[in-house]
Each structure stands twice: as structure tokens, then as C-alpha cells.
Amino acid sequence: MNIQNQLQATVEALVQQGKGILAMDESSPTIAKRFKPIGVESTEENRRSYRSMLLATPGLGEFVSGVILFEETLGQKADDGTPLPALAAQQGIVPGIKVDKGKLALANAPGDEITEGLDGLALRLESYKQQGARFAKWRDVYHISATTPSRLAIEANAEVLARYASICQTLGIVPIVEPEVLIDGDHSIDRCAEVTEAVLHEVFHALHCYHVILEHMLLKPNMVIPGKTHAQKASPEEVAEQTIRVLRRTVPAAVPSINFLSGGLTPEEATANLNAMNCLAPQPWDLSFSYGRALQQPALQAWKGNAGNAASTQAALYLRAKLNGAARHGSYSVTMEPAQE
Ligand code: 13P
């Protein structure tokens, strides 16, 4: 298959009715943060057994079309010796890989950050592809404050995302482009809308400059929401309206799918917001999910590091995947949530 056909086939496998992406690509410090509240030490073995358990969830492929893995996971095996990317593929789930190397302070832009990892990226991608990865993810972050993100941060991060995406496509790897405007802060939903619009505008300008084929990428943005410590929460309908307005102003119709990150929303909020967006008039792109915490949180709570809890852990993940699958059609309702104990 030539490169263009490879990209097209991967996009078609990822963008499917009623399905979205499971992000389980937490870096070592982040997975340690997720394990800590349930009293689990982040050892290589604990990470392997947790992640292989998630990938073995019966029926996961009904609602999950792709999974984003961390580099370490790509080389790990399930108890029976099946490589974890192959375990995903057996479920009809396309394996992908997080390829950025994290973020650091952006020089001369106080409070802003830039994502690293372009050096040697093409070589790394070749080897990830050998290990079964068909798509990749790169995340940039933007902090909202009175002075951030600066123009410099918006332009520098857009450029880096576009360079990453163009390198991926050259090698037949579908890039997920993830510019995340963070939830931290007390800003209003309008301020989040303003920043998200400026960020996405710049990202698509850079993607154009770098000749990225929009049909062969996915966008993974934040939803437009008020800051975590803002006085007022927004209803799913308000989030949907504000988010869609910004996306319609900035994201070309050629992009096949927009797969939101959950970014610190509760699992229920993330599902309800996605559902509300899919209840609005049809949009030029699919509106789907690429959640990490919003899919995994209940599973982590059920697991608690105990292999004996595998069935309830998998059931918790399956339920969240199913509810988000319903939100893809706008047919989710809170009455589908399990009763709170
Ligand atoms: P969250 O859904 O937890 O934000 O994670 C998604 C992700 O992949 C962040 O890069």
C-alpha cells in the first residue's frame, strides 16, 4: 500500500460511527500521579498489568476504534506473551503512540511552555511503525492567565505541531494534533473561547504552511469551558454552543474528525458535553472522544492494584466507552449512569 492509501485506511479505521479513542499514553510521572490515589506504586510490572487488563476488556472494540499508547507499552506483552499493540489489534482497535517528549518553559515567554521531541522524530516513528503503531499523538499546552498564552507561545507551538504532523504523514502515520488550552484558572468560558479560537486559528495556518493533508489527520482539542476555579459552571448545552462556534470558525471541513480530550472534566461531564454537541445540527466533521481520565478514572477506582478486580475494572471501562459511544449519536442520557452508592 502506498503512503496515501495507508493514511486513508488508518483514518477510516479510526473514524467510525459510535466509536472514539482511548488515551492510555500517560508518561511515567503522569501514570504515577494516577496510581497514587489508589495506593499503587508505578512499577513497570504494575503499568503492564493494568494496561494489558484494559486492552483485554471484552467488547471494547465496539466503542473504541483506536488506542494511544506510551512508548514503554508498545514493547510490553500480555501474560500470554501477546504484544500489547497486537492485543489491541485483535479487538479491532488501531494502536497509536504518543510521540512528544513533554513540555518545558518557553524562553522569553514567562508562564508559557513549548513541547519538545522533534529531533530524531522520523527515526523514532519508523521504529514505532515496526512495532505496530499506525497513528501518533503530540500535545501542546496553553495556560490561560492575564498575560498568557503570549503571541510567541501561540505561534511557536503551532509551528511545532505542524512540523510533527508533516513528518508523521511522510511516513504513513496519521497525526493527532492536540493543542490543549488548559482548564486551570478562574477564567470565564468567554475567555476560554477567545484563547481557543486564537490557538486553533494559528494551528491551522501552520498546518497549511507545512502542507499537512487535512483529510489525513485528526484534531484533538479542548472543549470550550470555564476555568476550574471559575465561580460558575457551564451547562453541557452552553459548552456545546461555545465549542461548536469556535470550531466552525477555525477548523476546515476537510478534517474528518474532532476527538476531544477530557482535560480534567469528570467522566460524566465529558460524556454529557460530547452528547450535547452531537445533539446540535450536523457538523462538517465527526465529533468524538479521545479521553484519558474520563474513560479510565472509574476503572482505576475499581482496580486498586488488585488483579482479582479485573472483571469489575474492565466492566467500568466498558461502561464509560459505551456511554461515550452513545454520546457520539446524541443518544446519551444521565439516566444511563449507574446509581451512585
Ligand atoms: P485526558 O482526557 O485525561 O485529558 O487525556 C487525554 C490526553 O491524551 C491528554 O494528552
Side-chain angles (χ1 to χ4, degrees):
M1 233 198 289
N2 72 25
I3 294 286
Q4 296 311 315
N5 291 345
Q6 281 176 34
L7 292 167
Q8 183 61 29
T10 300
V11 165
E12 283 170 19
L14 287 173
V15 184
Q16 292 189 50
Q17 281 293 312
K19 297 190 189 184
I21 293 172
L22 165 62
M24 41 179 274
D25 58 331
E26 298 85 1
S27 62
S28 304
T30 305
I31 194 73
K33 218 159 60 179
R34 304 277 182 265
F35 280 0
K36 198 162 181 234
I38 54 162
V40 175
E41 197 190 338
S42 177
T43 61
E44 185 178 347
E45 175 51 22
N46 283 341
R47 294 190 293 270
R48 185 199 67 84
S49 68
Y50 171 64
R51 286 166 165 161
S52 56
M53 184 172 58
L54 294 190
L55 290 173
T57 298
L60 190 63
E62 294 165 36
F63 309 109
V64 172
S65 57
V67 62
I68 314 173
L69 306 172
F70 187 57
E71 190 174 23
E72 174 190 82
T73 318
L74 210 54
Q76 287 176 324
K77 295 188 166 87
D79 292 342
D80 67 359
T82 310
L84 294 188
L87 181 57
Q90 281 168 13
Q91 299 246 49
I93 299 173
V94 182
I97 170 85
K98 166 199 174 78
V99 300
D100 66 71
K101 292 279 185 190
K103 55 208 171 45
L104 80 179
L106 176 61
N108 298 329
D112 282 319
E113 293 184 296
I114 184 91
T115 301
E116 291 197 292
L118 287 174
D119 287 354
L121 178 61
L123 276 178
R124 284 197 289 130
L125 284 171
E126 297 273 17
S127 101
Y128 298 149
K129 200 174 175 183
Q130 298 278 323
Q131 291 174 282
R134 293 171 58 191
F135 71 99
K137 183 198 97 169
W138 178 293
R139 171 175 177 255
D140 280 356
V141 299
Y142 306 85
H143 300 265
I144 297 187
S145 72
T147 53
T148 61
S150 63
R151 203 53 232 159
L152 179 62
I154 291 175
E155 286 174 12
N157 276 292
E159 170 121 358
V160 165
L161 267 177
R163 284 189 61 195
Y164 139 81
S166 62
I167 294 167
C168 286
Q169 288 189 340
T170 312
L171 296 167
I173 301 269
V174 169
I176 294 189
V177 171
E178 182 181 1
E180 177 174 2
V181 177
L182 296 169
I183 193 175
D184 307 301
D186 63 358
H187 52 270
S188 65
I189 191 168
D190 291 341
R191 172 85 172 122
C192 180
E194 174 189 52
V195 171
T196 304
E197 185 172 333
V199 163
L200 290 177
H201 184 80
E202 198 62 36
V203 166
F204 279 95
H205 174 66
L207 292 168
H208 173 74
C209 293
Y210 279 82
H211 310 295
V212 171
I213 301 159
L214 300 182
E215 288 83 351
H216 290 162
M217 61 159 272
L218 305 184
L219 179 69
K220 176 166 175 167
N222 53 286
M223 295 174 187
V224 174
I225 48 175
K228 199 161 61 180
T229 52
H230 186 70
Q232 247 166 340
K233 284 221 172 241
S235 66
E237 291 69 30
E238 191 184 352
V239 171
E241 192 194 312
Q242 291 257 19
T243 304
I244 295 296
R245 182 184 304 125
V246 167
L247 294 174
R248 289 183 69 90
R249 287 176 176 177
T250 52
V251 184
V255 173
S257 182
I258 296 176
N259 291 60
F260 294 98
L261 59 96
S262 62
L265 293 169
T266 66
E268 294 78 11
E269 286 169 339
T271 309
N273 291 349
L274 178 63
N275 188 69
M277 283 187 241
N278 279 309
C279 286
L280 297 175
Q283 305 300 332
W285 351 262
D286 271 38
L287 293 171
S288 184
F289 57 91
S290 175
Y291 295 157
R293 282 162 285 179
L295 281 169
Q296 290 186 56
Q297 216 163 281
L300 277 166
Q301 288 298 331
W303 177 50
K304 294 197 170 66
N306 182 347
N309 294 334
S312 57
T313 306
Q314 293 177 335
L317 175 64
Y318 181 83
L319 177 66
R320 285 284 19 122
K322 182 177 172 177
L323 296 179
N324 285 301
R328 287 276 276 115
H329 303 293
S331 61
Y332 161 82
S333 131
V334 277
T335 58
M336 294 156 82
E337 293 288 350
Q340 297 290 325
E341 279 157 25

